[in-house]
């Protein structure tokens, strides 16, 4: 357990978070609770056997938690990438073809991901390599797209190309993704490290839902 001196400033952080409402603070990086709930709701339709807390954790620890840190740390680059992604989304809404836009960014290669047999849960939807992308894809039908999505890679647009004709919670999927990158590999590494080490604060109910192994020694009351 960490020494009390490490947490002398945390009461101030907790007080500051109280004014933000529902969410989780990782250091001074804020993850809004309603955003977590929306992602969980998208995923829940395809994975009803999972509890909401388990889905929230899988999405956050599947890259979305570190993504909030990355985008905070590189705020100007993130905003520029988001604007570019929004322009592409507007073009899609206007009727342009997803594959054509993906080809413009040299990201038109379909990416596959199976929905079973990975990690401590089986089946799992997270072979796509991004918890937030997996949540969005879970709510899509073939041909539909979603985004822009904040991910550890940057801002993404994703299109579901195909889903195997088996129950959705076991179905392999094929997707096409457009990624407007934010930062580089070292930035992502630092964001993941921060996600796993910075002090935690925010909504007590949210914090209690996180796995004990993740929050142990990182809360003000643990000092």
């Amino acid at each position: 357990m960490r020494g009390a001196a490490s947490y002398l400033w945390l009461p101030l952080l907790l007080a500051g978070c109280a004014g933000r409402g529902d969410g989780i603070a990782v250091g001074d990086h804020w993850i809004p609770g309603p955003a977590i709930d929306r992602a969980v709701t998208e995923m829940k339709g395809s994975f009803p056997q999972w509890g909401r807390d388990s889905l929230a954790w899988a999405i956050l620890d599947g890259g979305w938690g570190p993504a909030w840190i990355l985008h905070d740390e590189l705020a100007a680059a993130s905003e520029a990438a988001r604007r570019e992604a929004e322009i592409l989304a507007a073009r899609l809404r206007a009727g342009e073809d997803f594959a054509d836009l993906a080809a413009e960014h040299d990201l038109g290669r379909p990416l596959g991901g199976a929905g079973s047999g990975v990690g401590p849960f089986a089946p799992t939807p997270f072979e796509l390599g991004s918890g937030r992308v997996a949540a969005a894809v879970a709510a899509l039908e073939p041909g539909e797209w979603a985004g822009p999505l904040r991910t550890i890679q940057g801002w993404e647009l994703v299109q579901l190309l195909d889903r195997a004709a088996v129950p959705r919670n076991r179905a392999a999927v094929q997707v096409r993704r457009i990624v407007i990158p934010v930062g580089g590999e070292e930035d992502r590494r630092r964001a993941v490290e921060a996600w796993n080490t910075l002090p935690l604060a925010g909504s007590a109910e949210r914090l209690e839902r996180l796995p004990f192994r993740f929050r142990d020694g990182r809360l003000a009351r643990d000092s």
Side-chain angles (χ1 to χ4, degrees):
M1 186 171 292
R2 303 176 187 181
S6 300
Y7 290 95
L8 290 176
W9 60 277
L10 270 177
L12 295 176
L13 176 59
L14 286 165
C17 291
R20 291 179 170 182
D22 178 24
I24 299 169
V26 185
D28 59 357
H29 307 287
W30 183 250
I31 306 175
I36 298 171
D37 290 340
R38 285 193 296 273
V40 169
T41 297
E42 290 176 357
M43 184 67 81
K44 186 69 173 172
S46 288
F47 298 89
Q49 78 278 25
W50 286 44
R52 292 187 66 88
D53 291 351
S54 295
L55 284 174
W57 172 245
I59 294 167
L60 286 167
D61 201 49
W64 204 37
W68 286 88
I69 297 171
L70 174 77
H71 287 256
D72 273 357
E73 291 290 333
L74 303 175
S78 174
E79 178 60 17
R82 186 193 64 79
R83 290 177 181 174
E84 184 176 352
E86 290 286 4
I87 290 171
L88 294 178
R91 291 172 63 182
L92 289 172
R93 287 191 291 269
E96 292 195 46
D97 184 72
F98 197 105
D100 291 343
L101 292 186
E104 286 184 15
H105 289 76
D106 195 28
L107 291 165
R109 178 174 58 87
L111 302 172
S116 62
V118 175
F121 302 102
T124 175
F126 295 106
E127 289 186 42
L128 290 173
S130 167
R132 187 63 188 92
V133 170
V137 167
L140 297 177
E141 298 300 330
E144 295 179 341
W145 62 274
L149 305 170
R150 182 195 314 259
T151 76
I152 192 64
Q153 299 298 325
W155 287 95
E156 297 196 35
L157 302 166
V158 58
Q159 181 186 40
L160 177 62
L161 299 178
D162 196 18
R163 178 184 285 116
V166 297
R168 289 173 78 107
N169 64 349
R170 297 199 301 272
V173 297
Q174 187 178 47
V175 303
R176 181 176 281 119
R177 291 157 74 170
I178 298 173
V179 181
I180 310 300
V182 174
E185 287 303 317
E186 180 60 21
D187 299 305
R188 286 184 271 278
R189 185 198 66 77
R190 286 197 297 265
V192 171
E193 181 180 6
W195 166 249
N196 286 298
T197 59
L198 288 179
L200 301 173
S203 309
E205 185 177 357
R206 294 277 178 190
L207 295 172
E208 289 170 1
R209 294 175 184 173
L210 297 173
F212 179 77
R213 68 182 185 278
F214 177 73
R215 56 185 167 87
D216 184 30
R218 298 172 65 187
L219 305 177
R221 62 175 177 269
D222 291 338
S223 59

